[in-house]
């Protein structure tokens, strides 16, 4: 018998990552026959059988004891070609940069269905059956959800506007990552599609990756891809797919059959052996940053991936992130500019209502209502958004001061009038609205503040009878397909006023909206969060972009964005009025440079969770003490441990500690040195901890 081969295999096992470090989750197994690097396998680990990825070949251990401890690989999952070098490099970079173990990142990047399938690999018969299941669905077969060529359909490119043509030409000549900075409605999508077409037409193997921030936007873009590039197979990857569908789409990409992969942040980990173009639409969107697991930024990884694989990358936005904007200013990225809206549509005008002058407690000012009525009379649609769902954020007793606090969180339960419930939006705790104040028995308990439901009700009362008001938020769209149906109603003109949370402001191409109103935005102006103003500016400019997309329809009166605020003199509004993102960005970047904030400084957070705030902070304090021994600690400022801004969720107390450095490499070096200590520290009652590199909000 030949001597066996030895491999290092990445597995996701918290127990083995306890010593910390990148390779802590890479362990050794043997195999009687050679295995490919990047092969997907099942290996025995303790009493369990787990999914693994062959990472590297290694030498046979010398001593008998460790040799005897090595077990053989149990089975190999036939996914066709193994996962390539480039894909593995992406995983390794992600794990290193975000301070996670290789195994955790690799297993999270593979389709979850692989875990189930490897357990079923028993004998040859089961192997054959599973191989058939994995490879049975070829492109174009029913159910494969891959667009097939449609005979006789016109997929010829659209005529571009001069600014689109200029952007496309410049993009073709650039070697740097490119920011496509285009006004809302300037036709960025057409530039993406034509850039994709160029790549796909010229190379029979080429694959294109398109990332979008919202799962809700995938059907819309998918339809356009089908319409314009229908001759090329396209698959989607997002959390709305069933695990089986996701696996098949993933495999279609891995085998190179899918030429276009369209998806949300998870799609950045798609295996694409012939990646030739990457597009990140709405690159500024916070949802590209994952809030669990490795907490990676899909946008940043897309840039890394494109550069490593030599693929051009196009980051599109009307309101770029300040990180991307600063990269353009420094010349690291190229900036392609499209200032004009398609068809000469007018830019949305800003109307500010000074709410200090409005009647007390009124939410919808008389001026706004008059303007809406005028639009409705002219046959236009209006959109109102408020970033709060439910009827009212708090239920309140005027007699004793009782408020609808959640017993499990540091938050109030929101009053939902439809089903007369009080629901916590953080932990889900819900109960029927009490008939009287639980503390004093007062029967007169009243809602405080407003959410989408109440705005919907108010509009119904204030607008002429017969006005059709539709509400779109997480509550109205719970049922499968309901969002698409509601959007279709809007597009068909069956709705006069759309009320919604910010989910309605993103990307949707409504044609008949003449007026958009933003309610209750002032909190962001006072927020201590570094990025609060950046996010508000982006939100308002995006919202403004929903209005007046159809030049012909808006020719009578230019489209308007109404903002009700108590601070109309705020500089953010002055820049917004001019649609002057550049001015806003310059002002924000100057402030951040002075304060050493991103993108001029670099942040990481150490987060901890425990039953009590004391324990959560004790862990952070111990970590801070251990930091002194780490290299590069003199280049990192560690701030005191503080409770999270939402300190308690579902009875778990959360704390965090901010780390700041003027140097990204120094911060990275320090974090790597710090890892083993973070794993070693034992604090009784600690539930979990995690490092968050480049956190979105602090
Ligand atoms: Zn009371
Ligand atoms: Zn709660």
């Amino acid at each position: 018998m030949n001597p066996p081969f030895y491999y290092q295999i990445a597995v996701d096992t918290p127990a083995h990552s306890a010593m910390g470090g990148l390779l802590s989750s890479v362990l050794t197994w043997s195999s009687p026959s050679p295995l490919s690097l990047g092969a997907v396998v099942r290996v025995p680990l303790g009493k369990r059988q787990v999914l693994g990825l062959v990472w590297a070949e290694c030498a046979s251990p010398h001593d008998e004891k460790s040799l005897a401890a090595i077990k053989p690989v149990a089975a190999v999952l036939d996914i066709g070609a193994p996962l390539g070098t480039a894909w593995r490099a992406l995983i390794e970079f992600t794990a290193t940069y975000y301070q996670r173990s290789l195994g955790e990142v690799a297993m999270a990047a593979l389709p979850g269905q692989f875990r189930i399938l490897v357990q079923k690999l028993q004998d040859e018969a089961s192997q054959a059956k599973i191989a058939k299941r994995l490879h049975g669905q070829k492109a174009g077969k029913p159910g494969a959800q891959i667009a097939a060529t449609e005979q006789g359909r016109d997929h010829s490119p659209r005529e571009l506007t001069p600014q689109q043509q200029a952007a496309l030409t410049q993009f073709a000549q650039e070697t740097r990552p490119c920011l496509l900075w285009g006004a809302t409605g300037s036709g960025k999508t057409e530039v993406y599609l034509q850039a994709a077409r160029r790549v796909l037409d010229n190379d029979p193997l080429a694959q294109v990756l398109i990332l979008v921030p919202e799962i809700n936007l995938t059907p819309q873009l998918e339809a356009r891809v089908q319409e314009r590039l229908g001759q090329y197979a396209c698959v989607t990857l997002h959390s709305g797919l069933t695990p089986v569908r996701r696996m098949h789409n993933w495999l279609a990409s891995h085998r190179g059959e899918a030429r276009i992969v369209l998806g949300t942040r998870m799609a950045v980990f798609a295996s694409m052996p012939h990646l030739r173009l990457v597009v990140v639409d709405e690159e500024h969107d916070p949802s590209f940053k994952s809030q669990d697991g490795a907490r990676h930024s899909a946008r940043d990884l897309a840039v890394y991936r494109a550069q490593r694989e030599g693929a051009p990358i196009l980051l599109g936005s009307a309101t770029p992130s300040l990180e991307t904007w600063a990269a353009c200013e420094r010349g690291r990225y190229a900036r392609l500019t499209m200032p004009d809206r398609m068809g000469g549509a007018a830019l949305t005008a800003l109307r500010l209502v000074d709410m200090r002058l409005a009647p007390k407690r009124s939410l919808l000012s008389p001026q706004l209502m008059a303007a809406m009525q005028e639009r409705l009379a002219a046959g236009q649609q209006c959109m109102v958004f408020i970033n709060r769902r439910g009827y009212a954020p708090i239920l309140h007793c005027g007699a004793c001061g009782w408020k609808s606090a959640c017993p499990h969180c540091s938050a109030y339960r929101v009053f939902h009038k439809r089903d007369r419930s009080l629901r916590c939006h953080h932990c889900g705790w819900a109960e029927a609205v009490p008939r009287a104040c639980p503390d004093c028995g007062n029967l007169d308990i009243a809602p405080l503040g407003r959410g989408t439901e109440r705005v919907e009700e108010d509009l119904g009362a204030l607008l002429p009878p017969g006005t059709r008001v539709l509400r779109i938020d997480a509550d109205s769209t719970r049922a499968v397909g309901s969002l698409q149906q509601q959007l279709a109603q809007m597009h068909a003109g069956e709705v006069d006023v759309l009320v919604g949370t910010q989910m309605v402001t993103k990307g949707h191409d409504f044609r008949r909206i003449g007026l958009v109103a933003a309610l209750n935005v002032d909190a962001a102006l006072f927020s201590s969060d570094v990025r609060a103003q950046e996010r508000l500016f982006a939100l308002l400019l995006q919202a403004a972009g929903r209005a007046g997309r159809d030049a012909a329809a808006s020719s009578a009166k230019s489209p308007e964005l109404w903002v009700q605020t108590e601070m109309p003199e705020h500089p953010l509004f002055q820049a917004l009025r001019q649609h002057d993102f550049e001015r806003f960005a310059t002002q924000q970047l100057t402030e951040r440079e002075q304060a050493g904030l991103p993108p001029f400084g670099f942040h990481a957070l150490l987060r901890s969770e425990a039953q009590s705030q004391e324990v959560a902070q004790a862990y952070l304090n111990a970590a801070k003490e251990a930091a002194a021994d780490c290299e590069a600690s003199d280049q990192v400022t560690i701030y005191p441990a503080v409770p999270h801004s939402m300190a308690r969720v579902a009875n778990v107390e959360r704390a965090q500690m901010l780390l700041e450095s003027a140097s990204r490499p120094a911060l990275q070096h320090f974090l790597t040195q710090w890892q083993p200590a973070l794993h070693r520290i034992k604090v009784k009652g600690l539930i979990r901890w995690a490092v968050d590199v480049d956190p979105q909000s602090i």
Side-chain angles (χ1 to χ4, degrees):
M1 204 176 111
N2 292 326
F5 298 84
Y6 293 92
Y7 294 99
Q8 295 201 296
I9 295 177
V11 291
D12 182 10
T13 161
H16 287 265
S17 62
M19 61 277 215
L22 180 71
L23 292 174
S24 58
S25 60
V26 181
L27 308 169
T28 307
W29 279 270
S30 68
S31 168
S33 53
L35 297 173
S36 310
L37 302 187
V40 177
V41 295
R42 187 184 82 214
V43 290
L45 185 74
K47 288 188 175 125
R48 298 183 303 143
Q49 297 271 324
V50 300
L51 184 66
L53 187 71
V54 179
W55 201 258
E57 197 169 355
C58 59
S60 142
H62 294 298
D63 63 300
E64 289 294 320
K65 203 178 153 206
S66 36
L67 203 56
I70 292 176
K71 293 178 186 158
V73 169
V76 179
L77 186 70
D78 175 15
I79 60 161
L83 286 150
T85 317
W87 189 85
R88 283 179 284 134
L90 173 68
I91 298 300
E92 186 162 342
F93 174 79
T94 307
T96 309
Y97 186 79
Y98 293 102
Q99 306 289 322
R100 316 301 286 205
S101 77
L102 255 182
E104 181 191 356
V105 174
M107 295 308 117
L110 292 173
Q113 197 66 8
F114 281 2
R115 279 172 210 270
I116 297 166
L117 282 186
V118 290
Q119 301 297 344
K120 294 183 178 165
L121 292 169
Q122 297 304 336
D123 47 21
E124 272 183 32
S126 64
Q127 301 233 6
K129 203 168 125 197
I130 286 168
K132 201 172 153 198
R133 228 200 270 174
L134 287 182
H135 305 295
Q137 294 209 359
K138 293 282 185 209
K141 287 254 176 74
Q145 216 198 42
I146 296 175
T149 309
E150 289 169 68
Q151 294 291 327
R153 197 151 169 193
D154 178 22
H155 295 306
S156 57
R158 291 282 152 83
E159 186 133 358
L160 294 176
T161 63
Q163 66 173 6
Q164 285 174 324
Q165 188 57 57
L168 199 61
T169 308
Q170 201 186 337
F171 180 57
Q173 292 159 353
E174 264 301 335
T175 51
R176 294 173 290 175
C178 290
L179 165 67
L180 179 60
W181 180 42
T184 52
S186 61
K188 291 187 286 292
T189 308
E190 195 57 39
V191 176
Y192 307 152
L193 295 179
Q194 298 227 10
R197 163 189 283 274
R198 195 177 275 178
V199 165
L200 296 165
D201 281 353
N202 290 339
D203 176 348
L205 293 176
Q207 291 179 295
V208 174
L209 173 63
I210 304 176
L211 298 179
V212 291
E214 282 266 328
I215 174 175
N216 299 326
L217 294 176
T218 51
Q220 186 181 317
L221 189 55
E222 197 183 1
R224 280 190 72 179
V225 167
Q226 298 263 11
E227 180 199 340
R228 313 302 314 286
L229 299 168
Q231 68 272 45
Y232 298 110
C234 171
V235 294
T236 56
L237 283 175
H238 54 75
S239 59
L241 302 172
T242 65
V244 172
R245 164 76 14 242
R246 210 158 111 185
M247 177 180 72
H248 283 299
N249 288 359
W250 197 92
L251 285 167
S253 167
H254 173 64
R255 287 191 298 254
E257 289 162 15
R259 304 286 303 282
I260 304 167
V261 174
L262 170 62
T264 52
R265 63 170 182 255
M266 68 164 65
V268 77
F269 292 118
S271 164
M272 302 180 75
H274 308 289
L275 182 64
R276 298 291 179 268
L277 171 68
V278 180
V279 173
V280 183
D281 189 22
E282 309 293 355
E283 67 88 30
H284 64 278
D285 199 289
S287 71
F288 282 121
K289 169 87 173 162
S290 158
Q291 292 306 319
D292 49 28
R295 294 177 178 264
H296 65 274
S297 158
R299 182 214 37 226
D300 295 350
L301 288 180
V303 173
Y304 166 83
R305 182 174 186 179
Q307 293 201 298
R308 179 166 184 306
E309 301 186 34
I313 178 163
L314 195 51
L315 306 165
S317 179
T319 51
S321 65
L322 292 178
E323 279 84 357
T324 298
W325 189 261
C328 292
E329 296 287 293
R330 292 171 186 153
R332 284 205 300 121
Y333 292 4
R335 182 162 42 212
L336 321 176
T337 314
M338 299 204 300
D340 302 326
R341 302 183 90 179
M342 297 272 283
L347 283 174
T348 307
L350 177 68
R351 304 270 178 257
L352 294 170
V353 183
D354 188 341
M355 293 304 275
R356 288 171 301 198
L357 309 175
K360 227 177 170 333
R361 292 209 167 186
S362 71
L363 182 81
L364 296 159
S365 62
Q367 301 97 304
L368 172 60
M369 294 318 295
M372 284 178 68
Q373 293 200 28
E374 196 185 320
R375 296 282 170 174
L376 297 174
Q380 294 186 355
Q381 294 172 313
C382 298
M383 186 172 104
V384 178
F385 82 92
I386 178 164
N387 214 6
R388 204 157 229 165
R389 65 193 167 86
Y391 187 81
I394 303 174
L395 206 58
H396 168 247
C397 168
C400 76
W402 173 86
K403 283 178 182 168
S404 56
C406 174
H408 310 293
C409 306
S410 38
Y412 292 107
R413 282 171 300 161
V414 174
F415 172 38
H416 289 254
K417 196 174 180 184
R418 269 167 201 255
D419 54 3
R420 299 208 57 83
S421 68
L422 282 179
R423 274 190 255 151
C424 174
H425 290 181
H426 299 277
C427 72
W429 170 262
E431 62 185 6
V433 170
R435 300 182 54 179
C437 170
D439 282 2
C440 74
N442 172 21
L443 287 172
D444 191 20
I445 46 179
L448 213 61
R450 279 169 174 84
T452 45
E453 276 184 28
R454 195 167 181 187
V455 172
E456 180 188 16
E457 190 181 277
D458 288 356
L459 286 170
L462 292 168
L463 291 170
T467 306
R468 297 160 301 176
V469 180
L470 175 73
R471 175 173 55 90
I472 295 189
D473 57 25
D475 298 311
S476 78
T477 55
R478 206 150 277 163
V480 178
S482 55
L483 174 64
Q484 296 313 321
Q485 190 217 325
Q486 289 168 1
L487 291 174
Q489 272 177 276
M490 186 68 191
H491 286 295
E494 293 161 13
V495 175
D496 299 313
V497 181
L498 177 64
V499 178
T501 47
Q502 64 179 23
M503 78 195 273
V504 300
T505 63
K506 290 185 187 177
H508 298 290
D509 196 11
F510 301 123
R511 308 304 297 186
R512 278 183 249 187
I513 294 183
L515 182 151
V516 175
L519 309 179
N520 280 13
V521 298
D522 284 354
L525 300 175
F526 306 110
S527 170
S528 60
D529 192 313
V530 185
R531 290 183 177 82
Q533 290 193 30
E534 179 184 352
R535 278 196 292 262
L536 177 62
F537 191 90
L539 179 68
L540 292 177
L541 205 69
Q542 293 290 333
R546 294 316 111 211
R549 295 180 80 82
D550 194 330
S554 63
S555 58
K557 189 164 195 268
S558 62
E560 291 173 334
L561 168 68
W562 282 68
V563 179
Q564 301 191 145
T565 174
E566 297 198 351
M567 280 199 82
E569 64 283 354
H570 197 283
L572 183 144
F573 294 127
Q574 304 317 315
L576 186 68
R577 188 187 291 284
Q578 311 291 328
H579 289 256
D580 195 346
F581 175 79
E582 199 162 358
R583 172 165 149 191
F584 172 75
T586 306
Q587 170 235 322
Q588 286 281 310
L589 286 172
T590 309
E591 279 176 23
R592 289 204 197 168
E593 187 165 20
Q594 282 161 0
L597 293 169
F600 302 97
F602 302 91
H603 282 160
L605 278 179
L606 179 62
R607 303 172 183 275
S608 62
E609 295 182 6
Q611 295 299 345
S612 78
Q613 196 54 236
E614 270 170 349
V615 171
Q617 293 192 25
Y619 175 80
L620 301 180
N621 291 331
K624 188 174 181 176
E625 229 160 82
D629 305 331
C630 298
E631 285 170 35
S633 65
D634 56 332
Q635 294 183 59
V636 177
T637 307
I638 304 183
Y639 289 90
V642 292
H644 189 281
S645 57
M646 262 291 299
R648 192 160 55 108
V649 170
N651 294 325
V652 172
E653 291 284 343
R654 314 189 298 173
Q656 63 185 33
M657 192 164 73
L658 178 66
L659 290 82
E660 193 177 80
S661 176
S663 153
R664 195 196 295 267
L667 181 60
Q668 280 284 314
H669 184 63
F670 167 79
L671 289 172
T672 311
Q673 298 280 315
W674 203 26
Q675 277 285 332
L678 296 180
H679 282 278
R680 252 192 332 265
I681 298 166
K682 293 284 172 272
V683 173
K684 198 160 175 279
L686 185 77
I687 298 169
R688 63 176 77 84
W689 61 270
V691 175
D692 184 351
V693 180
D694 304 333
Q696 266 295 318
S697 48
I698 297 156

